[in-house]
Amino acid sequence: MSSRSAWRALHYSAKRRISQPTTPYRCFSCARQSLEQAKPDHERMTHFGFTNVPESEKESRVGAVFSSVASSYDNMNDLMSLGIHRLWKDHFVRSLNPGTPVANRDADAKDKGWNILDIAGGTGDIAFRMLDHATNINHDMQTSVTISDINADMLAEGRKRSIETPYYNTSRLSFVEANAEHMPHIPDASIDLYTVVFGIRNFTDKQAALNEAFRVLKPGGVFACMEFSKVDNPLFDAIYKRWNFSAIPLIGQIVAGDRDSYQYLVESIERFPSQEEFRGMIQKAGFMIPGRGYENLTGGIAAIHKGIKPIVQS
Amino acid sequence: MASLVRLPAPRRAPSSIPSICSAPTPLATRQFHTSGQLRPSPSKVTTAIKPTFKNPAYTIRPYHSPLHPRLPPHEYTNSQTAILTASLPHIPSQGFTNAALTLGARDAGFLDVSVQLLPRGEFDLVLFWLASRRGLLRGKVEEGALFTRAAAERGREVGGLSVEEKVKILVLERLRLNKDVKEVWQDALAQMSLLGNIPLALTELHALSNDILTLSGDAAVDGSWYARRLGLSAIYASAEVVMTRDPTPELVETEAFVERRFADKEALREKVEGVGSWVGFLGSTAVGVGRSWGLKI
């Protein structure tokens, strides 16, 4: 009897346990379950470095990278490029020659200087150089630059730096936090020069950004982009890759205390299209390509791409 | 065989070739690359050889295969050409500078920033100037007025002008096309002498000397082909430098300089040919002497 009652008690308790599971259902294999979960938010993927992430996530992830590097951005650029990035940026600005020289200005003085839009220029590196060139070389006091960046931390860094420039708190320099793929606050055909320097590789949809650039530029306006690119020489390429994948994350870890952000940086450089492919994208947006369309810097580590919005023949 | 009309022997004299080439009916007498079906019958050839000239001054048809389209005079796109063409009138006042390009871009309806269309900047303006003047020179010859006028000044027929005379006329005419920009030509020379620009500048100089020799009916296909182009390029380039320092409005000094250089070239040619024939004579004599001694040469 006692054994029977003991069996019954066990039996009941076992039954009770089945009818009221305290832990959720745990299947032997989780693959099916995870597939079912992923299905409802099935969406386009984009690359984030070497990994693929949903498009909605890339923006925030890139945002996190640049928020974390904003403060040490300048030091890190110097260390990673051995100071060459300054030469590139100077060359970029000099070749664009912003500002109208006094001698070329019309007597009626109706032109108000160039309207420059610097996309992804949060820390103001390019914007200050543009304004310096326009002011000191061409004596053009009207040319103005709008710095647009998606990342508030980078913009804050730029604002902080602008205090030390003569353009602080003037109408020649303004800051906007915006996504370059969609800029409804900028009217059509209002910009003379659109620049994006070392920024476009972080965009989620590069073609959309190029189309938006085409929209905001005046006919005859120039799209100028400087971005990391592909090295031609195989020997130099091997050295460069070694530097990129070994040295830069290490420098990031030691100087900025952030290895992952710099790992992302080198991976995104590797994933960026080659000179010819990117030229094709610029052409696809509707731009005219001057000459070969791009200029290699330091053997192709970086390249300057240019496109001109055609004038509609009336 | 006897029934076939006998063709005249091909003559190499340059003055005769154009008269054959300029047959008003395009009967493909000189189209070497045409296929068999286009080859004219001998009777047609004889009719083509005796053409009736409407415009005797148009005596040039440069040889090129009809299977290949003619090369464009320059490689610029429409928008680039628009800016460059609009910049040309600003050159005498602004020089070959970015300022001329900017003003040209504005005249063409572009923005100041649009000069980015020209990746070489001022040097593009120089190249475009050179190429367009070369085209003008060709146009002048092809419409025929140039040689007719020059022949009338000398009191002779157009056909009576020798190749050398035609070359000289063309060089001087090309220099006169630069008269308006004489004051600022040093800008262009400076641009062309920059290390990166030298290859393109030399290419353009070769194209010019090639054009001048072709237009003047030079038909040399031997080793002197190179010597002629080299000599002409040297004369033209040095005359350009002299022209920048020529104060006379009608380029009298430059003209005299060109005359002297052509005389020098002629003297040099005679000496080289003299030395050549002397060496050849000595060589054949030495061979003859050797053979008379029983050497198996």
Side-chain angles (χ1 to χ4, degrees):
Chain A
M1 281 294 284
S2 61
S3 66
R4 196 169 189 172
S5 64
W7 154 249
R8 200 170 282 160
L10 271 174
H11 187 72
Y12 279 130
S13 64
K15 258 191 184 165
R16 212 176 296 132
R17 220 175 289 138
I18 291 166
S19 61
Q20 294 176 337
T22 50
T23 54
Y25 169 71
R26 293 167 81 180
C27 57
F28 186 70
S29 154
C30 293
R32 176 179 288 274
Q33 205 177 0
S34 64
L35 272 178
E36 274 167 8
Q37 267 180 6
K39 225 173 229 167
D41 56 348
H42 177 75
E43 59 168 345
R44 290 170 61 199
M45 303 293 274
T46 186
H47 50 79
F48 176 79
F50 285 168
T51 56
N52 279 332
V53 296
E55 279 198 346
S56 57
E57 219 174 281
K58 172 157 178 172
E59 197 177 308
S60 61
R61 285 212 186 190
V62 171
V65 166
F66 280 92
S67 294
S68 80
V69 303
S71 53
S72 60
Y73 188 73
D74 220 30
N75 291 337
M76 278 304 298
N77 278 347
D78 279 342
L79 284 168
M80 288 187 303
S81 70
L82 310 174
I84 299 170
H85 77 103
R86 291 170 191 273
L87 302 179
W88 289 340
K89 286 170 180 167
D90 285 344
H91 173 76
F92 179 73
V93 170
R94 207 176 302 127
S95 77
L96 286 170
N97 192 16
T100 307
V102 182
N104 291 3
R105 242 168 271 166
D106 288 337
D108 53 358
K110 70 173 185 282
D111 60 305
K112 296 274 179 240
W114 295 14
N115 196 1
I116 302 173
L117 178 64
D118 185 23
I119 295 289
T123 56
D125 262 3
I126 295 297
F128 302 151
R129 280 183 171 84
M130 293 270 192
L131 287 170
D132 282 343
H133 187 99
T135 312
N136 300 332
I137 310 283
N138 289 328
H139 305 291
D140 182 338
M141 305 292 178
Q142 266 100 43
T143 291
S144 64
V145 180
T146 306
I147 299 178
S148 170
D149 204 306
I150 198 165
N151 191 309
D153 292 319
M154 295 292 267
L155 277 177
E157 188 70 21
R159 277 212 187 84
K160 203 166 77 191
R161 281 194 210 169
S162 73
I163 297 172
E164 284 159 23
T165 67
Y167 319 109
Y168 177 65
N169 236 348
T170 63
S171 59
R172 301 184 63 189
L173 186 66
S174 51
F175 294 86
V176 179
E177 191 182 330
N179 185 344
E181 291 153 28
H182 184 59
M183 298 185 286
H185 55 284
I186 297 176
D188 293 4
S190 59
I191 304 290
D192 290 83
L193 174 60
Y194 177 113
T195 60
V196 47
V197 172
F198 299 129
I200 203 161
R201 80 176 179 282
N202 301 310
F203 290 3
T204 309
D205 187 349
K206 298 173 184 70
Q207 195 65 51
L210 288 171
N211 293 339
E212 190 71 0
F214 190 79
R215 180 185 71 79
V216 301
L217 277 171
K218 293 178 189 170
V222 170
F223 167 85
C225 164
M226 181 153 72
E227 190 52 84
F228 291 109
S229 213
K230 302 280 177 263
V231 176
D232 313 325
N233 187 333
L235 182 67
F236 184 48
D237 195 32
I239 299 167
Y240 170 62
K241 289 265 160 62
R242 177 60 58 192
W243 170 262
N244 255 3
F245 284 96
S246 312
I248 288 181
L250 188 69
I251 298 174
Q253 191 169 17
I254 294 168
V255 177
D258 183 357
R259 190 183 180 98
D260 292 340
S261 292
Y262 288 94
Q263 187 67 36
Y264 161 72
L265 182 82
V266 294
E267 288 176 7
S268 67
I269 292 172
E270 191 62 25
R271 289 295 294 263
F272 191 70
S274 71
Q275 284 92 329
E276 287 79 11
E277 284 169 60
F278 190 57
R279 180 180 62 190
M281 290 170 72
I282 295 173
Q283 256 167 335
K284 199 174 152 200
F287 288 106
M288 294 187 291
I289 301 296
R292 197 171 54 145
Y294 59 87
E295 181 190 359
N296 281 344
L297 303 171
T298 321
I301 291 181
I304 296 177
H305 290 264
K306 281 174 190 165
I308 288 108
K309 182 170 174 176
I311 286 186
V312 182
Q313 299 296 330
S314 53
Chain B
M1 277 304 286
S3 65
L4 281 178
V5 182
R6 193 182 152 79
L7 291 175
R11 288 175 294 166
R12 264 291 154 79
S15 57
S16 72
I17 285 178
S19 66
I20 297 170
C21 293
S22 61
T25 46
L27 280 176
T29 47
R30 285 283 166 187
Q31 290 178 345
F32 300 113
H33 287 256
T34 47
S35 51
Q37 59 190 12
L38 281 175
R39 189 173 298 146
S41 66
S43 62
K44 272 185 180 171
V45 172
T46 46
T47 54
I49 281 172
K50 295 179 218 158
T52 49
F53 284 140
K54 284 213 177 89
N55 181 4
Y58 172 53
T59 54
I60 304 299
R61 205 185 79 186
Y63 167 73
H64 70 99
S65 165
L67 300 177
H68 298 287
R70 199 155 154 176
L71 286 175
H74 54 74
E75 54 185 11
Y76 294 114
T77 61
N78 286 341
S79 302
Q80 288 173 321
T81 317
I83 292 182
L84 288 167
T85 314
S87 306
L88 293 183
H90 294 289
I91 292 174
S93 57
Q94 303 287 335
F96 289 87
T97 56
N98 255 328
L101 278 177
T102 312
L103 291 176
R106 257 187 231 164
D107 289 353
F110 283 84
L111 305 172
D112 286 3
V113 72
S114 307
V115 296
Q116 292 293 326
L117 257 178
L118 304 161
R120 289 189 284 257
E122 300 100 326
F123 187 54
D124 268 324
L125 190 56
V126 175
L127 282 181
F128 189 76
W129 172 267
L130 293 171
S132 59
R133 295 311 102 170
R134 188 156 54 82
L136 278 184
L137 188 71
R138 180 178 276 278
K140 279 189 176 194
V141 174
E142 284 181 353
E143 80 187 21
L146 184 61
F147 287 144
T148 326
R149 202 182 60 217
E153 279 169 13
R154 290 166 172 76
R156 278 192 285 164
E157 285 291 305
V158 176
L161 290 174
S162 70
V163 174
E164 287 301 312
E165 279 172 318
K166 283 184 183 171
V167 167
K168 214 182 292 177
I169 291 166
L170 286 172
V171 167
L172 287 173
E173 188 59 32
R174 176 65 189 82
L175 286 170
R176 280 196 200 99
L177 288 175
N178 273 3
K179 209 161 68 179
D180 290 341
V181 299
K182 198 175 73 176
E183 307 297 326
V184 294
W185 189 244
Q186 280 170 342
D187 294 358
L189 290 177
Q191 283 288 336
M192 286 191 278
S193 63
L194 290 177
L195 195 61
N197 296 345
I198 286 174
L200 274 173
L202 288 181
T203 312
E204 181 58 38
L205 182 61
H206 165 75
L208 177 67
S209 59
N210 194 26
D211 263 19
I212 287 179
L213 281 168
T214 317
L215 290 172
S216 58
D218 180 69
V221 287
D222 53 358
S224 72
W225 192 93
Y226 300 97
R228 280 162 199 257
R229 273 147 188 81
L230 205 64
L232 183 58
S233 301
I235 291 174
Y236 178 76
S238 54
E240 258 186 351
V241 179
V242 169
M243 191 184 66
T244 60
R245 304 178 62 87
D246 184 353
T248 57
E250 287 307 310
L251 304 179
V252 182
E253 286 185 12
T254 315
E255 213 165 311
F257 176 83
V258 171
E259 293 284 347
R260 287 202 300 278
R261 289 296 82 76
F262 271 104
D264 288 353
K265 193 192 92 171
E266 204 53 33
L268 196 64
R269 189 181 62 81
E270 276 168 18
K271 290 202 168 60
V272 169
E273 280 182 2
V275 168
S277 59
W278 177 71
V279 169
F281 175 74
L282 270 192
S284 61
T285 312
V287 169
V289 168
R291 280 184 182 151
S292 74
W293 286 348
L295 293 176
K296 301 234 161 89
I297 307 176

